[in-house]
Amino acid sequence: MQSTDLGNKESGKIWHRKPSPATRDGIIVNIIHNTSDYLPKVLRFLNVAFDSSGDCLLAGDHQGNIYVFDLHGNRFNLVQRTAQACTALAFNLHRKSEFLVALADYSIKCFDTVTKELVSWMRGHESSVFSISVHASGRYAITSSSDTAQLWDLDTFQRKRKLNILQSVGIQKVFFLPLSNTILSCFKDNSVFAWECDTLFCKYQLPAPPESSSLLYKVFAVTRDGRILAAGGKSNHVHLWCLEAKQLFRIIQMPTKVRAVRHLEFLPDSFDAGSNQVLGVLSQDGIMRFVNIQTCKLLFEIGSLDDGITSSIISPHGRYIAAIMENGSLNIYSVHTLTKEINKPPPPLVKVIEDLPKRKVSSGDLKMKVTSGRVQRPAKSRENKMQTRILKQDLTGNFENKENELSDGLNKKRLQILLKGYGEYPTKYRMFIWRSLLQLPENHTAFSNLLDKGIHVAFLNLEKTYPIKSRKLLRVLQRTLSALAHWSTIFSDTPYLPLLAFPFVKLFQNNQLICFEVVATLIINWCQHWFEYFPNPPINVLSMIENVLAFHDKELLQHFIEHDITSQLYAWPLLETVFSEVLTREEWLKLFDNIFSNHPSFLLMTVVAYNICSRAPLLNCDLKDDFEYFFHHRNNLDISAVIKEVYRLMDTTPTDIHPDSMLDAFVALTKGQYPVFNQYPKFIVDYQTQERERIRKDELDYLRERQTVEDMQAEVDQQRVEDEAWYEKQEQLRKAEETRREMLLQEEEKMIQQRERLAAVKRELKVKEMHLQEAARRRLLQLQQEQREMELRRLDDEIERKIHMRDREIAATAKDLEMRHLELESQKRLYEKNLTRNQEAVAKEMREDADACRRKADLEEHMFHRLIGMDQTQNQKTQKREEAEEKDLHLKSEKKASTLSEASRKWFLEKEINDALHAQHACNKVVPRCYTERVASSCLPRNSELNGISAVESSTQSSLNQRKAYWDSMEPDLMARVRNLRQRLATQARNRCQTPHLLAT
């Protein structure tokens, strides 16, 4: 076992010598990734994915490093550093260089392995994405997490649909069924639904598992044809569901050491038409066991208890198994090595004992040793070991049957007997039998070298000559024909090669190596002498067919001759298409079961038998077009009868005209390298090659000259076109200028008309504005007039109210005067009583003043004596002086107060007298002269009261002046009334002022 450490390398070889995996473990190479840092550690691989071809592997570790391993080219490359662990990978998109990776931040990114650039970044999941399923076309992908599944369009990288479920249910897996448009969703409650991809219409739901089974599904796998679903979980049982019948048809019980199933994977086979029969079951012990789901037998197993497997994936063509081990490394297994002993057919049960040649033989030659042994099968459990008796014979009696023993242990004679009994090989084992009959060497390296040369120039435009609807089929046909052309030069010029190879390409389109080797073996053996008359049809081979036909059916041959139908019409179309145009798929397979099982002459005899069995319709044909149509289209013919006729012809044809005398026996392709094919007139091919090369050079020269002429013509045309375009543009500009001038004149005319209309509108608006202003002015004047009238009415009301108040005040004043007169009479008598009392009080006050002056003099004298006695200190003198001054001031204030009290008493008496006189004058009463004189003599100082009356008059005059100023501001029509009121008030005031003077006189 080889081991490769990636280290810090970004690219390099996967292995340095050709791998030779042992049959026991089948490991091609073990890949580890150790860092060479200060503290070296192992970077564990987490996920792997194969591309659609199965030769390239994508692997990502827990630090986000993603590598591409080219198992065919023996190279690895670091294509991306995502800096975070990847949780899922997908590498089978329709753009072969792109891949999807789900990261630990719940995002999905698309990268390109060639440019190493980010193509797209898809977000939408809220939990870790654990699986990515890609549609068979590579244009859609489903990403699944525990809570949701999302459908993405990989052309636009937009999300198309989203599946939301209850958190209590949970998603186990959502994926596309292979080669179909159906989505299968599996949930944690064991429910499985099938949906239509485009409409998301629920097609069906699988019924619940049997009640006796407590298995909860956790892992799932589907066969290539999408018919069988395998489900497993925490149990040693695996359930197999038929999706067509929608029912559980088998339960496989694994060995007792298996307690839980961690992964399921079907092993593809190139010859089972997608109905995979081998299921890989990875259990909790790290061992992946491969069992046959039909026989329920354990075939082989990988992994061990010491070196267990955590996850694995199988390549689409079933050639490799990539397994991530528990130690973080990556193992690549060879399925061919693991199944070499399993696919080896068991020894025959019947042995034919033949007579020995009549010669003396030693005792050792007659010994037949019977031994018991065990069929060696890798990594099988003890209970599955089988004891078998192996019969070993000496080679002495096998010289005659040596050519009948095939490489895979099959016996050609036995196969022929089986074929004659059943007419065809079983469909299930047909490809295996063909591969054994043809002894295909499966030279992978040699075939890869042919493919690496690329598409041959002769088949670059194959789709134009042979249009095929399927792009995949066209691509496989193109590669196969190119490989044949690179193998031998003649095949690049063989016009019928696509017709010859197409049925095999269609049959082996998923395995191009087998397809190439089958076609090459067919050409070497069954197409012998076909190229001797190249490029014409093989006249010699057609002559063999015509001779056989002449011997067995002269009438039919004579009919052909009479209607000028040669072997190039009734034989060559069947040969160059190998009967694919005239037979159905099942008939063609049945025919080639017999062709591959017999001598190469069987094919030529088949052409003769086909004509003989169709003699009735052929004898009725008279036109050449009818014959051509007959040999290029399907006819109502029993292929079993044709094959039976072929065997009769093989047995009854004379030796001198039998094709087997002119054709060599079957020769298989050599191993390692393919044999040289030069069975053609080399000089013709070389001449044609030279002529073709000369024609190609002449054509290149012609094309070069024509290209030069075309370039010159193109330049002239371009110049002419430019000139014409320039002139046309100038003409267009001139027309555009004239048009714009006309438009400008029209616009100016329209502008003038619009201005006139605008002026008319402005005039109308001005007139309307004037009318509106006049109406507003009238309304304003009317409003002002109404306000003035209201103000005048308010003033009239105010004047009337004032006049009324004045009249009431005058009446009240008259009443007050009468009351005042009575009060004055009473006060008069009181004043007379008080006059005497006041005179006595005055005399008393004068005495008190004299006493005060005497006390003051005494005080001054006393103070003088004290001042004389207090001359010792200046401060005491100052203090005494201040006290004296204070006393003096006190006396002065007392004297002044007495003076003021006397003056106030005198003023009060005068005021009382004047009031009495004023009251008496107001009442228009005559006061006796004696009384007046007596009052005047006794109260003469009170005449000052007249000054108070004058002050009252002056205040009254001032009030009248203020009222006059107020009323003068009123309107003229009110002034007269105000003047009349003022005159009346003035007259009353004059009368009021004259009364005291009359009383005084």
Side-chain angles (χ1 to χ4, degrees):
M1 178 183 71
Q2 297 189 54
S3 181
T4 300
D5 187 1
L6 302 181
N8 293 330
K9 295 182 293 185
E10 293 188 358
S11 63
K13 291 185 177 181
I14 304 176
W15 53 78
H16 297 280
R17 66 178 185 275
K18 185 176 180 180
S20 55
T23 306
R24 181 180 58 83
D25 54 17
I27 299 177
I28 298 176
V29 65
N30 171 251
I31 301 172
I32 58 176
H33 191 189
N34 292 326
T35 61
S36 58
D37 298 336
Y38 179 72
L39 294 175
K41 61 179 180 180
V42 177
L43 299 183
R44 300 174 56 85
F45 287 102
L46 297 180
N47 288 280
V48 289
F50 276 101
D51 66 350
S52 57
S53 67
D55 292 329
C56 286
L57 174 69
L58 198 71
D61 58 27
H62 71 275
Q63 285 193 353
N65 301 314
I66 300 178
Y67 290 86
V68 170
F69 298 94
D70 186 359
L71 302 179
H72 177 71
N74 187 25
R75 297 289 298 177
F76 73 87
N77 287 286
L78 176 65
V79 295
Q80 199 57 234
R81 285 190 174 98
T82 61
Q84 52 183 325
C86 62
T87 59
L89 286 172
F91 195 26
N92 50 354
L93 281 61
H94 69 286
R95 289 184 284 269
K96 303 303 180 185
S97 61
E98 295 180 359
F99 66 92
L100 295 177
V101 54
L103 302 175
D105 61 353
Y106 311 152
S107 65
I108 303 102
K109 293 184 179 180
C110 180
F111 294 100
D112 194 296
T113 58
V114 178
T115 62
K116 300 182 181 181
E117 294 180 353
L118 176 65
V119 178
S120 181
W121 192 342
M122 298 174 285
R123 292 182 177 273
H125 284 278
E126 297 179 355
S127 59
S128 179
V129 177
F130 55 77
S131 73
I132 301 176
S133 176
V134 181
H135 190 264
S137 64
R139 299 187 180 274
Y140 304 100
I142 295 178
T143 57
S144 304
S145 58
S146 59
D147 56 350
T148 182
Q150 301 185 16
L151 177 63
W152 303 87
D153 188 342
L154 298 184
D155 286 333
T156 60
F157 294 100
Q158 298 293 325
R159 184 173 63 192
K160 295 184 64 178
R161 298 294 178 91
K162 181 178 181 182
L163 172 63
N164 291 321
I165 61 168
L166 297 177
Q167 188 175 4
S168 59
V169 178
I171 295 176
Q172 290 289 11
K173 192 174 183 181
V174 180
F175 56 96
F176 287 104
L177 288 182
L179 305 177
S180 69
N181 207 28
T182 303
I183 300 174
L184 213 62
S185 59
C186 311
F187 302 98
K188 292 183 179 179
D189 59 354
N190 278 12
S191 59
V192 179
F193 293 86
W195 312 83
E196 182 67 30
C197 176
D198 298 330
T199 62
L200 288 186
F201 174 75
C202 183
K203 300 174 67 175
Y204 59 83
Q205 177 186 1
L206 295 182
E211 296 181 358
S212 59
S213 174
S214 60
L215 173 60
L216 292 178
Y217 296 155
K218 292 185 178 296
V219 290
F220 304 87
V222 181
T223 57
R224 184 69 175 170
D225 57 5
R227 296 181 178 180
I228 297 177
L229 171 68
K234 196 173 183 181
S235 171
N236 65 341
H237 288 178
V238 176
H239 289 187
L240 298 179
W241 291 84
C242 179
L243 297 181
E244 291 182 343
K246 305 176 187 58
Q247 63 181 1
L248 180 68
F249 72 92
R250 184 167 299 153
I251 298 178
I252 299 176
Q253 183 176 359
M254 300 298 293
T256 55
K257 62 181 73 174
V258 176
R259 298 190 305 272
V261 177
R262 294 168 56 182
H263 184 69
L264 293 173
E265 191 88 18
F266 278 99
L267 180 63
D269 193 342
S270 302
F271 304 105
D272 59 5
S275 59
N276 310 135
Q277 302 297 314
V278 180
L279 176 64
V281 182
L282 177 62
S283 58
Q284 87 289 340
D285 56 4
I287 299 175
M288 191 168 188
R289 298 169 174 86
F290 288 82
V291 299
N292 188 301
I293 61 174
Q294 298 296 334
T295 62
C296 297
K297 290 184 179 181
L298 181 63
L299 303 180
F300 64 93
E301 58 188 27
I302 57 177
S304 62
L305 296 177
D306 298 331
D307 192 12
I309 300 174
T310 58
S311 63
S312 66
I313 188 170
I314 304 176
S315 61
H317 50 50
R319 194 175 300 161
Y320 305 109
I321 300 175
I324 298 177
M325 313 307 290
E326 292 178 349
N327 59 8
S329 64
L330 180 64
N331 278 358
I332 308 297
Y333 294 88
S334 172
V335 177
H336 176 72
T337 303
L338 293 171
T339 59
K340 181 180 291 185
E341 293 295 331
I342 284 70
N343 291 333
K344 191 173 183 179
L349 300 178
V350 178
K351 290 295 182 180
V352 179
I353 301 176
E354 299 180 355
D355 294 336
L356 293 175
K358 295 181 179 179
R359 64 179 180 87
K360 291 184 178 180
V361 294
S362 62
S363 59
D365 294 334
L366 299 176
K367 287 183 179 179
M368 305 207 39
K369 185 178 180 181
V370 179
T371 61
S372 62
R374 179 170 57 89
V375 176
Q376 299 294 326
R377 301 180 186 271
K380 272 204 170 183
S381 57
R382 185 178 300 273
E383 57 270 20
N384 289 322
K385 295 179 180 178
M386 299 176 62
Q387 298 294 329
T388 309
R389 300 191 64 83
I390 302 175
L391 179 62
K392 294 184 178 180
Q393 295 183 354
D394 195 271
L395 298 177
T396 306
N398 286 338
F399 289 110
E400 297 180 0
N401 294 326
K402 184 176 181 180
E403 63 176 5
N404 293 324
E405 293 296 330
L406 303 178
S407 59
D408 291 327
L410 299 179
N411 185 276
K412 191 172 182 179
K413 287 290 186 182
R414 287 175 48 77
L415 290 176
Q416 290 176 345
I417 295 172
L418 178 66
L419 182 62
K420 288 184 178 180
Y422 292 96
E424 59 180 333
Y425 292 127
T427 303
K428 183 177 179 180
Y429 301 104
R430 174 177 283 123
M431 300 301 118
F432 172 73
I433 295 174
W434 280 17
R435 189 167 57 181
S436 301
L437 289 172
L438 299 179
Q439 301 178 25
L440 302 181
E442 299 188 17
N443 298 328
H444 294 276
T445 304
F447 179 68
S448 299
N449 294 333
L450 294 176
L451 288 183
D452 291 341
K453 295 180 180 180
I455 302 301
H456 197 276
V457 65
F459 303 107
L460 288 175
N461 299 319
L462 183 65
E463 65 276 3
K464 296 181 180 179
T465 310
Y466 299 96
I468 300 176
K469 185 176 181 181
S470 173
R471 299 297 301 175
K472 177 183 177 182
L473 204 58
L474 176 63
R475 187 167 59 252
V476 175
L477 177 62
Q478 196 174 32
R479 291 179 180 176
T480 304
L481 297 178
S482 299
L484 290 170
H486 291 309
W487 175 42
S488 181
T489 309
I490 185 131
F491 297 128
S492 62
D493 298 323
T494 305
Y496 56 85
L497 186 64
L499 299 175
L500 181 71
F502 179 74
F504 299 97
V505 169
K506 191 173 183 181
L507 186 63
F508 299 101
Q509 57 181 316
N510 294 325
N511 196 329
Q512 299 179 33
L513 171 64
I514 300 298
C515 177
F516 171 81
E517 293 186 348
V518 168
V519 176
T521 305
L522 178 72
I523 292 173
I524 290 177
N525 293 278
W526 281 270
C527 299
Q528 297 180 39
H529 310 294
W530 279 29
F531 305 98
E532 294 178 358
Y533 292 89
F534 183 82
N536 299 317
I539 305 300
N540 51 348
V541 176
L542 298 179
S543 299
M544 297 181 201
I545 296 174
E546 188 168 355
N547 292 335
V548 176
L549 180 62
F551 178 79
H552 291 283
D553 198 337
K554 295 181 180 179
E555 182 183 0
L556 181 59
L557 180 60
Q558 185 63 31
H559 181 71
F560 286 153
I561 295 173
E562 292 175 357
H563 293 85
D564 196 19
I565 304 300
T566 63
S567 58
Q568 296 186 18
L569 195 149
Y570 67 79
W572 182 237
L574 300 177
L575 289 177
E576 66 178 357
T577 61
V578 286
F579 293 89
S580 60
E581 287 185 345
V582 297
L583 298 178
T584 62
R585 174 185 172 88
E586 291 74 16
E587 292 173 346
W588 186 87
L589 292 173
K590 187 175 182 179
L591 174 62
F592 268 85
D593 285 342
N594 292 271
I595 290 175
F596 287 154
S597 301
N598 290 277
H599 191 270
S601 61
F602 193 88
L603 178 62
L604 304 183
M605 289 297 188
T606 304
V607 176
V608 178
Y610 188 86
N611 282 273
I612 294 176
C613 293
S614 305
R615 66 187 314 274
L618 289 175
L619 292 175
N620 292 328
C621 293
D622 297 331
L623 300 177
K624 188 174 183 180
D625 293 340
D626 295 340
F627 287 100
E628 291 179 353
Y629 182 86
F630 183 86
F631 289 104
H632 286 281
H633 293 80
R634 295 177 183 174
N635 303 292
N636 187 15
L637 189 64
D638 185 8
I639 191 63
S640 300
V642 174
I643 295 173
K644 185 177 180 180
E645 180 66 19
V646 174
Y647 282 108
R648 187 187 69 81
L649 295 177
M650 291 286 289
D651 296 335
T652 59
T653 302
T655 307
D656 55 343
I657 63 172
H658 201 294
D660 61 358
S661 62
M662 290 168 279
L663 298 179
D664 297 332
F666 174 81
V667 177
L669 296 176
T670 57
K671 286 186 176 291
Q673 294 293 334
Y674 296 116
V676 177
F677 184 81
N678 55 2
Q679 300 175 8
Y680 56 89
K682 191 174 185 303
F683 70 94
I684 295 178
V685 176
D686 294 341
Y687 175 75
Q688 287 188 347
T689 304
Q690 294 174 2
E691 286 295 316
R692 189 179 300 104
E693 184 67 20
R694 185 184 60 80
I695 293 172
R696 187 179 67 82
K697 290 182 179 179
D698 294 342
E699 185 178 2
L700 289 176
D701 294 338
Y702 168 73
L703 291 175
R704 193 179 300 110
E705 293 177 0
R706 191 177 71 176
Q707 184 65 32
T708 304
V709 174
E710 289 179 354
D711 292 342
M712 295 177 62
Q713 184 65 33
E715 291 180 0
V716 173
D717 294 341
Q718 181 67 22
Q719 187 65 33
R720 186 178 68 255
V721 170
E722 291 178 357
D723 293 341
E724 291 178 355
W726 187 82
Y727 286 120
E728 185 178 358
K729 188 174 182 180
Q730 294 297 322
E731 183 66 21
Q732 291 177 355
L733 290 175
R734 186 185 62 78
K735 291 181 180 179
E737 185 178 0
E738 293 178 356
T739 304
R740 281 165 176 75
R741 283 198 183 117
E742 294 177 358
M743 293 174 62
L744 184 60
L745 292 175
Q746 294 176 359
E747 291 296 328
E748 289 179 354
E749 184 67 24
K750 291 180 181 179
M751 185 69 68
I752 293 172
Q753 295 177 359
Q754 290 179 356
R755 287 177 180 174
E756 291 178 355
R757 288 196 295 270
L758 183 60
V761 172
K762 286 183 177 180
R763 288 194 297 271
E764 293 178 359
L765 291 176
K766 191 68 176 177
V767 171
K768 290 181 179 179
E769 183 180 1
M770 293 174 62
H771 289 322
L772 291 174
Q773 289 179 354
E774 183 65 22
R777 188 182 65 80
R778 289 179 184 146
R779 285 197 299 273
L780 180 61
L781 291 176
Q782 183 178 0
L783 181 60
Q784 290 178 351
Q785 184 178 357
E786 292 175 354
Q787 289 179 352
R788 189 174 294 276
E789 290 177 355
M790 290 175 63
E791 185 68 20
L792 290 177
R793 285 194 296 272
R794 187 181 64 77
L795 289 175
D796 289 340
D797 295 338
E798 184 69 18
I799 290 172
E800 291 178 357
R801 187 178 64 80
K802 292 290 185 179
I803 292 174
H804 181 68
M805 290 176 64
R806 185 201 60 189
D807 295 342
R808 291 181 63 183
E809 288 177 357
I810 292 173
T813 304
K815 292 180 180 180
D816 290 340
L817 287 175
E818 291 178 356
M819 292 295 297
R820 185 63 179 168
H821 177 71
L822 294 176
E823 290 177 357
L824 289 175
E825 286 293 334
S826 63
Q827 288 178 359
K828 176 182 177 181
R829 289 188 294 273
L830 181 61
Y831 288 157
E832 289 176 351
K833 291 179 181 178
N834 292 332
L835 183 57
T836 302
R837 192 183 299 114
N838 289 336
Q839 289 178 353
E840 292 177 355
V842 168
K844 186 177 179 180
E845 288 178 359
M846 291 176 64
R847 287 193 299 271
E848 290 177 352
D849 289 339
D851 294 336
C853 289
R854 189 174 52 255
R855 286 193 301 271
K856 180 179 180 183
D858 293 337
L859 182 61
E860 290 177 354
E861 184 178 2
H862 179 70
M863 290 177 63
F864 176 77
H865 288 294
R866 291 185 62 183
L867 289 172
I868 294 173
M870 297 176 63
D871 56 354
Q872 296 179 359
T873 61
Q874 184 65 29
N875 293 332
Q876 292 178 355
K877 291 180 181 181
T878 303
Q879 181 177 5
K880 289 180 181 181
R881 189 168 53 250
E882 288 176 353
E883 290 178 357
E885 287 177 356
E886 289 178 357
K887 290 182 180 180
D888 186 47
L889 289 174
H890 179 70
L891 291 175
K892 288 181 180 181
S893 61
E894 287 181 352
K895 185 176 180 180
K896 186 177 181 179
S898 62
T899 304
L900 290 174
S901 62
E902 182 64 21
S904 62
R905 185 169 56 251
K906 290 180 181 178
W907 178 81
F908 179 76
L909 291 175
E910 289 176 355
K911 182 177 182 297
E912 292 295 330
I913 293 172
N914 289 332
D915 290 337
L917 292 175
H918 181 70
Q920 186 177 2
H921 175 73
C923 294
N924 295 322
K925 290 183 178 181
V926 179
V927 179
R929 182 178 180 84
C930 59
Y931 176 77
T932 305
E933 291 178 351
R934 189 173 58 248
V935 171
S937 59
S938 62
C939 299
L940 184 63
R942 298 183 61 182
N943 290 334
S944 61
E945 190 177 358
L946 296 174
N947 295 328
I949 296 173
S950 299
V952 172
E953 291 179 353
S954 64
S955 63
T956 304
Q957 186 66 30
S958 176
S959 176
L960 292 175
N961 290 334
Q962 292 177 356
R963 292 182 180 181
K964 178 178 177 296
Y966 171 76
W967 293 115
D968 286 342
S969 63
M970 303 300 291
E971 290 292 333
D973 56 348
L974 299 177
M975 293 303 296
R977 298 171 63 185
V978 172
R979 281 195 296 272
N980 293 332
L981 178 62
R982 186 178 60 190
Q983 290 175 359
R984 288 197 299 272
L985 292 174
T987 303
Q988 293 176 2
R990 283 196 300 272
N991 294 333
R992 190 180 298 114
C993 294
Q994 291 174 359
T995 301
H997 294 288
L998 291 176
L999 291 175
T1001 58

